[in-house]
């Protein structure tokens, strides 16, 4: 049985997937299992991933979207602790160590979050950088890539809902809170969110538009249980 599993979903992520993988492999406390789930990439992502043969578990599937890709990774994961990283983001070298130590010291806590620092991808030309906005101050990272989960969370709550195409974690976390799952937040910045042209709309605008639907479902559940 692996101790810590990391799941990286990727779809046409050739520009940044190697940097993401390296940030996991270079952890001061290595993960025991790195799973990359390829959602039918049509770029050079599969060829890049072949270079990491023996260092990760590669799963390729037909293109079906992020939710199914994440859940495929969860089905494959063997670790007692589960982590996620987006294919264009990075981890601080001590992320797994600090979060594992925190969960080990607090057996009543099931999810350990950390702060996130956004950054504009440095290779972009200046005229592209000027089109991107990001927050310079660290953010409280209530999300998949900033968390370490006890696997029992997913055994209790279930996987991510295929009915939610954006805001998948927010919907899952609402169910977790309904069940009394406890979480903690570290002060340290341990996840770095890369800002570039292709993720700006995907990660920001659609998520905001979906808040109302997700929060309504959470309120409906609470009414049914009251």
């Amino acid at each position: 049985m692996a101790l810590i599993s990391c799941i990286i979903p990727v779809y046409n992520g050739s520009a940044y997937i190697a940097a993401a993988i390296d940030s996991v492999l270079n952890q001061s406390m290595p993960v025991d299992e790195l799973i990359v789930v390829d959602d039918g990439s049509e770029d050079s992502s599969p060829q890049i991933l072949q270079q990491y043969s023996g260092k990760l578990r590669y799963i390729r599937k037909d293109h079906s979207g992020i939710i199914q890709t994440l859940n495929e990774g969860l089905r494959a994961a063997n670790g007692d602790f589960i982590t996620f990283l987006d294919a264009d983001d990075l981890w601080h070298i001590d992320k797994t160590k600090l979060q594992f130590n925190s969960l080990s010291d607090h057996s009543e806590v099931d999810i350990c979050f950390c702060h996130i620092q956004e950054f504009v991808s440095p290779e972009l030309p200046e005229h592209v950088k000027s089109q991107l906005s990001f927050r310079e101050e660290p953010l409280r990272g209530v999300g998949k890539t900033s968390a370490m989960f006890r696997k029992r969370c997913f055994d209790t709550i279930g996987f991510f809902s295929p009915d939610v195409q954006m805001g998948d974690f927010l919907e899952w976390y609402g169910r977790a809170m309904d069940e009394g799952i406890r979480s903690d937040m570290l002060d340290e910045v341990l996840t770095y969110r890369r800002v570039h042209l292709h993720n700006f709309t995907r990660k920001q605008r659609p998520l905001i538009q979906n808040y109302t639907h997700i929060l309504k479902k959470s309120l409906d559940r609470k009414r049914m249980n009251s």
Side-chain angles (χ1 to χ4, degrees):
M1 171 74 75
L3 182 62
I4 301 173
S5 298
C6 175
I7 300 166
I8 301 180
V10 60
Y11 176 65
N12 292 343
S14 59
Y16 305 118
I17 183 62
I21 290 171
D22 288 343
S23 77
V24 174
L25 296 178
N26 293 330
Q27 288 292 295
S28 59
M29 179 180 181
V31 303
D32 300 279
E33 180 180 59
L34 174 55
I35 302 168
V36 178
V37 185
D38 182 356
D39 188 28
S41 292
E42 299 173 341
D43 64 356
S44 60
S45 294
Q47 289 72 38
I48 294 171
L49 292 168
Q50 286 177 2
Q51 300 173 17
Y52 291 92
S53 176
K55 297 181 179 180
L56 55 81
R57 182 176 175 188
Y58 176 51
I59 300 173
R60 182 172 173 86
K61 54 186 276 297
D62 292 338
H63 182 59
S64 58
I66 183 62
I67 307 301
Q68 290 81 356
T69 305
L70 290 167
N71 289 342
E72 185 72 20
L74 283 170
R75 281 188 287 270
N78 296 303
D80 294 322
F81 299 86
I82 305 294
T83 58
F84 298 90
L85 181 61
D86 288 345
D88 50 0
D89 292 342
L90 303 170
W91 278 356
H92 185 280
I93 192 171
D94 291 326
K95 181 179 186 294
T96 57
K97 180 178 72 174
L98 293 178
Q99 290 185 312
F100 176 78
N101 287 345
S102 179
L103 288 172
S104 297
D105 291 340
H106 302 91
S107 60
E108 75 282 4
V109 176
D110 290 298
I111 308 172
C112 181
F113 294 110
C114 66
H115 280 65
I116 291 175
Q117 180 67 62
E118 294 186 337
F119 71 101
V120 175
S121 201
E123 86 288 350
L124 298 175
E126 292 302 321
H127 74 277
V128 173
K129 291 180 181 178
S130 66
Q131 300 177 49
L132 302 174
S133 62
F134 72 103
R135 297 193 181 185
E136 296 185 6
E137 71 279 6
L139 310 171
R140 288 176 60 83
V142 181
K144 294 187 298 294
T145 63
S146 61
M148 178 177 284
F149 306 81
R150 296 188 193 273
K151 189 176 186 294
R152 69 191 186 202
C153 293
F154 296 100
D155 296 335
T156 301
I157 308 303
F159 290 176
F160 299 108
S161 172
D163 298 328
V164 180
Q165 293 307 308
M166 289 299 302
D168 49 271
F169 177 76
L170 182 60
E171 191 276 338
W172 184 91
Y173 190 51
R175 285 187 278 135
M177 289 189 293
D178 291 344
E179 292 293 331
I181 294 293
R182 297 186 61 177
S183 64
D184 196 9
M185 174 71 67
L186 298 183
D187 293 333
E188 292 87 352
V189 171
L190 300 177
T191 298
Y192 300 97
R193 179 185 294 155
R194 188 189 303 269
V195 178
H196 53 94
L197 281 176
H198 299 294
N199 74 348
F200 182 75
T201 300
R202 176 175 60 83
K203 288 190 174 181
Q204 303 295 330
R205 211 166 291 159
L207 180 58
I208 294 171
Q209 292 172 350
N210 210 33
Y211 275 168
T212 302
H213 170 69
I214 294 169
L215 293 176
K216 180 180 183 301
K217 288 181 68 175
S218 179
L219 289 173
D220 289 344
R221 286 194 303 271
K222 290 178 180 178
R223 292 191 188 99
M224 291 175 62
N225 294 328
S226 63

